[in-house]
Amino acid sequence: MFAEIITIGDELLIGQVVDTNSAWMGRELNRIGIEVVRVTSVRDRKKEILDAVDSALQRAGLVLMTGGLGPTKDDITKQTLCQYFGTRLVFSEEVFRNIQHVLAGRIPMNALNRSQAYVPENAVILPNRVGSAPVTWFEKDGSVLVSLPGVPQEMTTVMTEEVIPRLREKFHTDFILHRSFMVKNYPESVLAEKLQAWEELLPDCIKLAYLPKPGWMRLRLTARGRRKPELNLLLDEEGQKLKAILGEDLYADREQAPEVLLGEILSEKGLTVATAESCTGGNMAARITSVAGSSAYFKGSIVAYANQVKEDLLGVLPETLEKYGAVSRQTVIEMVKGAMDTLKTDCALATSGIAGPAGGTPDKPVGTVWIAVACKNEIFTFLQQGDRGREMNIERACNKALIMLSDALE
Amino acid sequence: MFAEIITIGDELLIGQVVDTNSAWMGRELNRIGIEVVRVTSVRDRKKEILDAVDSALQRAGLVLMTGGLGPTKDDITKQTLCQYFGTRLVFSEEVFRNIQHVLAGRIPMNALNRSQAYVPENAVILPNRVGSAPVTWFEKDGSVLVSLPGVPQEMTTVMTEEVIPRLREKFHTDFILHRSFMVKNYPESVLAEKLQAWEELLPDCIKLAYLPKPGWMRLRLTARGRRKPELNLLLDEEGQKLKAILGEDLYADREQAPEVLLGEILSEKGLTVATAESCTGGNMAARITSVAGSSAYFKGSIVAYANQVKEDLLGVLPETLEKYGAVSRQTVIEMVKGAMDTLKTDCALATSGIAGPAGGTPDKPVGTVWIAVACKNEIFTFLQQGDRGREMNIERACNKALIMLSDALE
């Protein structure tokens, strides 16, 4: 079973908005055995939308579309689909009541919102309990096209509650199963060389992919076929072989963001954590608290951008800053100890570095980041080097620190 | 001048990676007057890549591709393009020397890296000073196809340094000019109603788009045509009319992230800032420090997830927490004062709320966030309500707080 996704909106093409919808949809469709083979983004132009819809329906049995359903003049998806499917817009009392319900207490109803209650006559209208855009399900010659709102929160709610269950019912499909493996500190080509012999002997129904992330590498095995138990068995077998080859370099044998894994380990061991951040500027705390329920183990952070804050709140000694500088092993060690003391936690992470683009010196070029992680009296440090741009320097340091603490605890 | 982008990789279709490349490329191409009319993402399969390339070249004079150039077995873009353009791979000493140079000191050279030095015989090879993947420029019947690496940092460097200058030289195109306007607290349909009469009288060469963001709305005017001064004049005129209609609801008259605007105001006024964060968990600090040079005005943050930290480091009174709760106007006021005191700054931002999904009560449901911003003795507070999911609740609160402080300072 193959699907295509079409995302609509000038803002996607001129790059003012990154299309995150299609990745989310691809992931969810994959879980129920529907494989997305193409994503197409087009502008809010009738001809271009018609073209994309027509070719997608010729190639795939299922087409999901997002965007172009807002109440304003630039949104033309609904009208365009009416033309394609040879139908017209009719006023729906039910959709209108839903719009009234959704907008109640948020904004006053006006003629533009009311226009959203006009829906294609020969389509099934699915409920949208979180927004005013109509969700329409068309069928033609055995193929299905669903038009969804482009606002991510509306799209994900409608997909989860309405579209996915209907797709499960309508289509009976191949199973697609994945296993993910997280590997520490490996350049792609070195890892590929190490895995070459094993990879060449993989069964035909299994495929390996390398997905480099800042600070680590994700490997993904994908199996596809009719019989689920057999696929699981094959994946287990190949997974075992892979683990044996990777040994200690394997960091986790499932797909999991470093902050989620760290959270699980801390919860399991009943430990608390804090961060002391200079160059990562709060990003480690933001990553840790992105996990729902993190308040059980995360107490807080001190973002110490200014040296005075490092001294006042983290107890870094003025002599240390003067002798070794803020970006030094000695300073991050004092920072990580200070975080545990001040915030009264069992563990802590600390960073101090030069994120760039300015601020580098010959001794400490942009991209130099000292990292320390600690659990009680045990402290580990690491020097990250190499400049990959401000954002990436920060992201790599966060990943590295989170992985280091997980490692230290295990 | 129209262009299409093709991004290649199974990881995009199964949703393990969000395609950020095409948005970046769309933005940069737009700046030089090349309009991206379609983005297509396909899997690492020869037939699907060939299909996408062939139809894109039939529609557009320029096709940019990213991905599938790595050293591993799943990367087949180079071979596929050879087939399409009827050429073969030949070993390039020059590309090989570049690979050696790029990898030097990072990873040992192996056969897989060496294979990256095989490049299509009848293409121009552009330098890639940050990576080992070859960048190839094909021409055929007046059209251009450029194949770029998928790693964002490599792609952006090569685009900026090599591809964009060559495109400027090769094509002479329409100008596409934008003006952006940031509007506070407006639902799309209410704003559209307010702007309707003006919008309908816009000249044909100008288009208006609504781009809702969490906590604010971006409006974009786009003008397209041959004569740049005339377009600028028209945009200025319509921009003035728009500003007159929006009045105080206009928050900025150019596209600018709230943290960038705040940074400019703080720099200009010579003020320093700190944050005290509960539910936003370091995200406000991360946003402020995402701006290069923010160390000039940002001193640090206290992320006070635990109430004890609110008391110990921010001086929130135990009585306040007991009487009003952590999520209250009284608590955020004490937090914002505490941040200015402890971190010795002129201004501060503070948040305390229930990000969700758990932790809500009938009185304070999930999504309730109290925000305070302060500059010296002036304090402003705001109560954000409504649950849009953990991530969005946090992002909205950050945007709101950053905009509130900018407003307060102006």
Side-chain angles (χ1 to χ4, degrees):
Chain A
M1 176 69 199
F2 297 112
E4 294 204 10
I5 295 171
I6 301 173
T7 58
I8 297 170
D10 288 7
E11 66 278 15
L12 302 171
L13 283 308
I14 70 166
Q16 282 198 308
V17 169
V18 171
D19 169 23
T20 55
N21 282 348
S22 55
W24 189 92
M25 294 166 100
R27 217 156 45 227
E28 293 303 306
L29 291 172
N30 219 270
R31 280 201 188 128
I32 59 164
I34 296 175
E35 195 167 353
V36 174
V37 292
R38 186 186 285 233
V39 176
T40 308
S41 304
V42 293
R43 304 184 296 174
D44 299 293
R45 307 289 158 98
K46 187 175 267 189
K47 189 185 166 303
E48 293 171 20
I49 297 172
L50 287 173
D51 259 17
V53 167
D54 193 48
S55 11
L57 278 173
Q58 278 177 33
R59 284 183 302 250
L62 171 65
V63 175
L64 296 181
M65 298 171 68
T66 66
L69 297 178
T72 50
K73 209 176 144 188
D74 54 333
D75 294 307
I76 57 165
T77 302
K78 206 163 63 174
Q79 294 81 340
T80 306
L81 288 175
C82 277
Q83 178 176 333
Y84 184 79
F85 288 104
T87 185
R88 62 187 184 122
L89 292 175
V90 292
F91 185 78
S92 160
E93 274 298 339
E94 198 182 332
V95 172
F96 185 62
R97 276 195 303 274
N98 179 59
I99 295 173
Q100 287 180 307
H101 178 74
V102 166
L103 299 184
R106 277 166 58 180
I107 57 167
M109 170 72 76
N110 66 16
L112 287 168
N113 294 127
R114 197 170 189 280
S115 75
Q116 295 194 291
Y118 282 85
V119 295
E121 193 171 22
N122 74 354
V124 177
I125 311 302
L126 309 185
N128 175 4
R129 69 168 181 83
V130 285
S132 56
V135 183
T136 47
W137 172 295
F138 294 91
E139 298 204 12
K140 191 189 177 185
D141 310 332
S143 295
V144 169
L145 180 144
V146 189
S147 161
L148 298 139
V151 179
Q153 196 243 354
E154 288 186 40
M155 182 280 290
T156 54
T157 305
V158 172
M159 274 292 283
T160 309
E161 296 179 1
E162 305 294 336
V163 179
I164 295 278
R166 278 175 175 81
L167 293 175
R168 267 182 198 283
E169 207 167 288
K170 170 109 193 157
F171 299 106
H172 308 281
T173 60
D174 259 8
F175 290 99
I176 299 177
L177 304 177
H178 301 289
R179 293 278 195 288
S180 287
F181 301 86
M182 291 161 63
V183 188
K184 285 181 283 187
N185 309 323
Y186 254 114
E188 189 172 351
S189 60
V190 176
L191 190 57
E193 199 178 39
K194 188 163 181 172
L195 301 180
Q196 199 163 20
W198 163 77
E199 187 182 354
E200 277 168 8
L201 294 174
L202 280 175
D204 282 345
C205 65
I206 296 188
K207 224 169 158 278
L208 174 71
Y210 293 79
L211 305 163
K213 307 280 281 181
W216 50 288
M217 169 75 80
R218 187 165 60 193
L219 294 174
R220 188 190 61 230
L221 287 175
T222 304
R224 172 171 196 146
R226 285 267 159 212
R227 295 170 54 202
K228 197 170 174 179
E230 191 184 304
L231 294 178
N232 265 319
L233 209 68
L234 281 173
L235 281 174
D236 285 345
E237 274 177 30
E238 296 304 331
Q240 286 306 328
K241 290 184 208 163
L242 178 59
K243 282 192 209 175
I245 300 170
L246 291 172
E248 285 223 330
D249 300 320
L250 183 77
Y251 152 56
D253 62 355
R254 58 206 152 120
E255 188 184 339
Q256 208 167 32
E259 59 272 24
V260 175
L261 187 66
L262 176 61
E264 285 184 4
I265 297 171
L266 290 166
S267 299
E268 199 182 290
K269 297 189 184 278
L271 296 170
T272 55
V273 73
T275 77
E277 313 192 32
S278 186
C279 69
T280 53
N283 278 284
M284 289 199 296
R287 290 277 294 274
I288 293 172
T289 60
S290 71
V291 180
S294 48
S295 55
Y297 48 81
F298 177 71
K299 288 212 174 173
S301 291
I302 291 161
V303 180
Y305 236 49
N307 279 346
Q308 194 61 49
V309 178
K310 294 186 183 81
E311 293 178 21
D312 292 352
L313 296 186
L314 293 168
V316 175
L317 297 172
E319 303 88 85
T320 307
L321 289 170
E322 196 170 317
K323 190 162 171 197
Y324 303 101
V327 180
S328 65
R329 187 167 180 272
Q330 289 78 5
T331 297
V332 279
I333 288 177
E334 292 184 17
M335 285 173 73
V336 83
K337 285 183 183 167
M340 289 189 292
D341 280 354
T342 309
L343 296 160
K344 302 192 177 71
T345 58
D346 305 307
C347 311
L349 308 111
T351 56
S352 186
I354 298 139
T361 65
D363 262 15
K364 295 174 184 171
V366 169
T368 305
V369 182
W370 272 102
I371 298 168
V373 303
C375 186
K376 291 164 188 170
N377 293 322
E378 275 205 292
I379 300 180
F380 301 87
T381 60
F382 179 77
L383 172 62
Q384 174 175 299
Q385 289 174 298
D387 177 22
R388 304 206 189 161
R390 184 177 179 88
E391 199 180 332
M392 192 67 93
N393 294 338
I394 292 172
E395 194 182 336
R396 275 176 71 206
C398 289
N399 281 332
K400 181 72 194 177
L402 294 165
I403 292 176
M404 274 172 71
L405 183 57
S406 297
D407 262 6
L409 293 174
E410 290 217 300
Chain B
M1 176 69 198
F2 297 112
E4 294 204 10
I5 295 171
I6 301 173
T7 58
I8 297 170
D10 288 8
E11 66 278 13
L12 302 171
L13 283 308
I14 70 167
Q16 282 198 307
V17 169
V18 171
D19 168 24
T20 55
N21 282 348
S22 54
W24 188 93
M25 293 166 101
R27 216 156 45 226
E28 294 303 307
L29 291 171
N30 219 269
R31 280 203 189 127
I32 59 164
I34 295 175
E35 194 167 354
V36 175
V37 292
R38 186 186 286 233
V39 176
T40 309
S41 304
V42 293
R43 305 185 295 175
D44 299 291
R45 307 289 158 98
K46 186 175 268 190
K47 189 183 166 310
E48 293 170 21
I49 297 173
L50 286 173
D51 260 18
V53 166
D54 194 46
S55 7
L57 277 173
Q58 277 175 36
R59 284 183 302 253
L62 171 64
V63 176
L64 296 181
M65 300 171 66
T66 65
L69 297 179
T72 51
K73 209 175 145 188
D74 54 335
D75 293 307
I76 58 166
T77 301
K78 205 164 63 176
Q79 294 81 342
T80 307
L81 288 174
C82 277
Q83 180 177 333
Y84 184 78
F85 287 104
T87 185
R88 62 187 184 122
L89 292 174
V90 291
F91 185 78
S92 160
E93 274 297 338
E94 198 182 333
V95 173
F96 185 64
R97 275 195 303 273
N98 180 59
I99 296 173
Q100 287 180 307
H101 178 73
V102 167
L103 300 183
R106 277 164 60 178
I107 56 168
M109 171 72 77
N110 67 16
L112 287 168
N113 294 126
R114 197 169 190 280
S115 75
Q116 295 194 291
Y118 281 85
V119 294
E121 193 171 22
N122 75 352
V124 177
I125 311 302
L126 308 185
N128 176 2
R129 68 169 182 85
V130 286
S132 55
V135 183
T136 47
W137 172 294
F138 294 91
E139 299 204 13
K140 191 188 176 187
D141 309 330
S143 296
V144 170
L145 180 145
V146 190
S147 161
L148 299 140
V151 178
Q153 195 245 354
E154 286 186 41
M155 182 279 290
T156 54
T157 305
V158 172
M159 274 291 283
T160 309
E161 296 180 1
E162 304 294 335
V163 180
I164 294 279
R166 279 176 176 79
L167 292 175
R168 268 184 196 281
E169 207 165 291
K170 171 109 193 152
F171 299 106
H172 308 281
T173 61
D174 258 7
F175 291 99
I176 299 177
L177 304 177
H178 301 290
R179 293 278 193 287
S180 286
F181 301 86
M182 292 162 60
V183 188
K184 283 182 283 186
N185 309 323
Y186 254 113
E188 189 172 351
S189 60
V190 176
L191 190 58
E193 200 178 37
K194 188 164 181 169
L195 302 181
Q196 200 163 20
W198 162 76
E199 187 182 354
E200 276 168 8
L201 294 174
L202 279 175
D204 282 345
C205 64
I206 295 189
K207 226 171 156 273
L208 173 72
Y210 293 79
L211 306 162
K213 306 281 281 181
W216 49 288
M217 170 75 80
R218 188 166 58 192
L219 294 174
R220 189 190 60 229
L221 287 175
T222 304
R224 174 173 193 144
R226 284 267 159 212
R227 293 172 53 201
K228 197 169 175 181
E230 191 183 306
L231 295 177
N232 265 321
L233 209 68
L234 281 173
L235 281 173
D236 286 345
E237 274 177 32
E238 297 304 332
Q240 286 307 326
K241 292 185 205 162
L242 178 59
K243 282 193 206 175
I245 300 170
L246 291 172
E248 284 223 330
D249 299 320
L250 183 77
Y251 151 57
D253 63 354
R254 58 206 153 124
E255 189 186 339
Q256 205 164 35
E259 60 272 24
V260 175
L261 187 66
L262 177 60
E264 284 184 5
I265 297 172
L266 290 167
S267 299
E268 198 182 292
K269 297 190 184 279
L271 297 169
T272 55
V273 73
T275 77
E277 313 192 34
S278 187
C279 70
T280 52
N283 277 283
M284 289 198 296
R287 288 279 293 274
I288 293 172
T289 59
S290 72
V291 181
S294 48
S295 56
Y297 48 82
F298 177 72
K299 288 212 175 175
S301 291
I302 291 162
V303 181
Y305 236 49
N307 279 347
Q308 194 61 50
V309 178
K310 294 186 183 79
E311 294 179 21
D312 292 352
L313 296 186
L314 292 168
V316 176
L317 298 172
E319 303 89 85
T320 308
L321 290 170
E322 196 170 315
K323 190 162 171 198
Y324 304 101
V327 181
S328 65
R329 186 167 181 272
Q330 290 78 3
T331 297
V332 279
I333 288 177
E334 293 184 17
M335 285 172 72
V336 84
K337 285 183 184 168
M340 288 188 292
D341 280 354
T342 309
L343 296 160
K344 303 192 177 72
T345 58
D346 306 306
C347 310
L349 309 111
T351 56
S352 185
I354 299 141
T361 64
D363 263 14
K364 295 174 183 171
V366 168
T368 306
V369 182
W370 272 102
I371 298 168
V373 302
C375 186
K376 292 165 186 167
N377 293 323
E378 275 205 292
I379 299 181
F380 301 87
T381 60
F382 179 78
L383 172 62
Q384 175 176 297
Q385 289 174 299
D387 177 22
R388 305 206 188 159
R390 183 177 181 87
E391 200 180 331
M392 193 66 92
N393 293 338
I394 292 172
E395 195 182 335
R396 274 176 72 207
C398 289
N399 281 332
K400 181 73 195 174
L402 294 165
I403 293 176
M404 274 172 72
L405 183 56
S406 297
D407 262 8
L409 293 175
E410 290 219 298

